[in-house]
Amino acid sequence: MNQAAQAETTKNLRRGLPSSGGSGRAALKASLTAAALAAGGAAFFYAFWLVSRFEPVSSSGPMPSARLSRKIASAEAKLKTDPENIELLTRAGELHFRAGPADYATAINELEEARDLGSLNPSIFYDLGVMYQSVGLYPFALKEYDRYLRHFPHAADVAMRKAKLLFEEGRYEEASDEYADLLRDRPTDAMLKENLALSLWRAKKTDEARQILSQLQAESRGQLESARAQYFLGQMALEAKDYSGAQAAFEICRAAGGVPGPGVSPADLPRGLAKAYQGLKKYREAVAQWKLVLASEPKDREAVLAVRRYGRYLSGPAKRPRRKKRHG
């Protein structure tokens, strides 16, 4: 979703109006759904590794669904007689937030209205940040997280969310700064080290990234973090056309049973190996790896073309070059 579309969607949310026709909360919900679908289509390729381990948790804790429904109904009934009551709007927004994504449109409308009327409750920043993030309105989510962090600068879960969104927005330098700051408080956190390294890599600071991953690989030898570090070191080598280095790193991952953890698909490791083998002109090994890619992703065009091209080359009989006929 481009910035103009994001701004228009957010303006409509703030007004409680739909993006195209209709009125009221049902239309607002439709606007949010459309925003979520548009954002999903523009997912960033490298976002996989940034899945936060800190899921959104309501400031008031979990609540049984039946009780939550009763409280929502009570808050809505009171709002009908007192629609500009700041405390009621805030409470209703928090309850709808806790009810889940289906109620996010209503929750955003109520919390934004409460803030417009003068609410200073900092939990609004967190709730709005999570909801804007969920529908792909990342710049607005970042603003809310910044507001929350001004009140609670040591909220690591929110700082993690902010770092993730900065990366997804392509603001790699800022993302790396956030991860470096988080790492100062948790210097042994392997996930933070990986995220910092990958942010630095995207920021074209490959030497720093490689140093962090090499350190992580040594510290976590035999653990899943070590295999992931090797995988990304292989990707960096591949990008630098160091095919021998890439092959070595990927083969270590393969010997360890693959690349565990979120975001790395079964096809990613054989794809990396196939490209490394191709660079080294080891076409038979490359074809074997491309076939493994196809076993996971049968319609992968790059793999189909590579198997067709190199498979034909390897299976055909060796032909001598034709001699040109001499005339005269």
Side-chain angles (χ1 to χ4, degrees):
M1 184 182 295
N2 60 36
Q3 291 184 350
Q6 289 175 336
E8 181 63 22
T9 301
T10 301
K11 182 171 65 176
N12 289 330
L13 293 177
R14 292 293 301 274
R15 291 173 178 170
L17 297 174
S19 294
S20 57
S23 60
R25 290 181 177 177
L28 177 59
K29 187 181 296 184
S31 295
L32 270 174
T33 302
L37 290 172
F44 196 80
F45 179 75
Y46 281 95
F48 60 77
W49 55 272
L50 285 162
V51 176
S52 174
R53 292 169 295 171
F54 302 95
E55 292 304 314
V57 178
S58 169
S59 57
S60 302
M63 184 185 297
S65 59
R67 186 182 174 206
L68 179 59
S69 296
R70 290 196 300 271
K71 286 187 171 292
I72 287 174
S74 174
E76 288 179 338
K78 292 175 182 177
L79 277 174
K80 288 180 181 178
T81 60
D82 193 3
E84 294 191 353
N85 185 306
I86 294 175
E87 290 185 6
L88 274 177
L89 282 166
T90 303
R91 179 61 174 158
E94 289 176 345
L95 289 169
H96 281 113
F97 168 60
R98 294 164 70 184
D103 280 22
Y104 280 1
T106 302
I108 287 176
N109 196 34
E110 289 167 337
L111 292 176
E112 290 284 15
E113 189 173 349
R115 183 160 61 183
D116 286 345
L117 290 170
S119 176
L120 301 176
N121 188 334
S123 69
I124 289 177
F125 306 141
Y126 177 83
D127 295 351
L128 285 172
V130 170
M131 290 187 285
Y132 279 135
Q133 178 180 353
S134 76
V135 299
L137 295 173
Y138 297 155
F140 304 102
L142 284 168
K143 288 180 182 178
E144 300 303 332
Y145 289 150
D146 278 336
R147 288 165 175 161
Y148 187 86
L149 288 167
R150 281 197 286 270
H151 286 80
F152 306 104
H154 301 296
D157 58 335
V158 177
M160 279 285 290
R161 286 180 170 276
K162 178 184 176 182
K164 172 188 174 182
L165 294 189
L166 286 169
F167 186 94
E168 292 185 4
E169 285 288 284
R171 295 159 63 177
Y172 306 121
E173 288 271 8
E174 294 171 80
S176 64
D177 288 343
E178 289 293 329
Y179 282 120
D181 189 56
L182 283 162
L183 198 57
R184 292 185 189 99
D185 292 329
R186 299 185 350 228
T188 61
D189 191 309
M191 178 65 80
L192 286 177
K193 289 181 180 180
E194 180 182 305
N195 289 352
L196 172 59
L198 294 173
S199 296
L200 289 167
W201 179 26
R202 293 298 101 194
K204 307 299 183 186
K205 297 182 178 180
T206 308
D207 289 342
E208 294 178 49
R210 190 180 293 112
Q211 182 178 358
I212 292 170
L213 286 174
S214 297
Q215 180 186 14
L216 177 58
Q217 188 275 328
E219 292 172 348
S220 57
R221 197 177 301 276
Q223 302 175 37
L224 66 88
E225 291 86 359
S226 178
R228 289 179 65 83
Q230 283 284 9
Y231 171 76
F232 292 119
L233 285 168
Q235 291 287 0
M236 289 179 187
L238 198 61
E239 184 178 80
K241 298 185 178 180
D242 173 12
Y243 300 119
S244 295
Q247 177 191 341
F250 290 142
E251 286 184 343
I252 290 173
C253 290
R254 183 173 61 179
V259 187
V264 182
S265 79
D268 288 335
L269 180 56
R271 188 193 312 280
L273 265 170
K275 291 181 178 181
Y277 287 139
Q278 278 182 206
L280 294 168
K281 302 188 186 317
K282 297 179 179 180
Y283 299 123
R284 193 174 303 280
E285 291 89 341
V287 168
Q289 294 303 312
W290 282 123
K291 287 181 177 179
L292 290 176
V293 172
L294 290 173
S296 297
E297 300 177 7
K299 295 183 179 180
D300 187 287
R301 181 169 175 77
E302 186 178 20
V304 168
L305 292 176
V307 168
R308 186 182 301 164
R309 176 184 179 187
Y310 296 113
R312 186 167 53 241
Y313 166 77
L314 292 169
S315 63
K319 294 183 180 180
R320 295 179 180 178
R322 292 182 180 180
R323 294 181 178 178
K324 294 182 179 179
K325 293 182 179 181
R326 294 180 179 179
H327 298 281

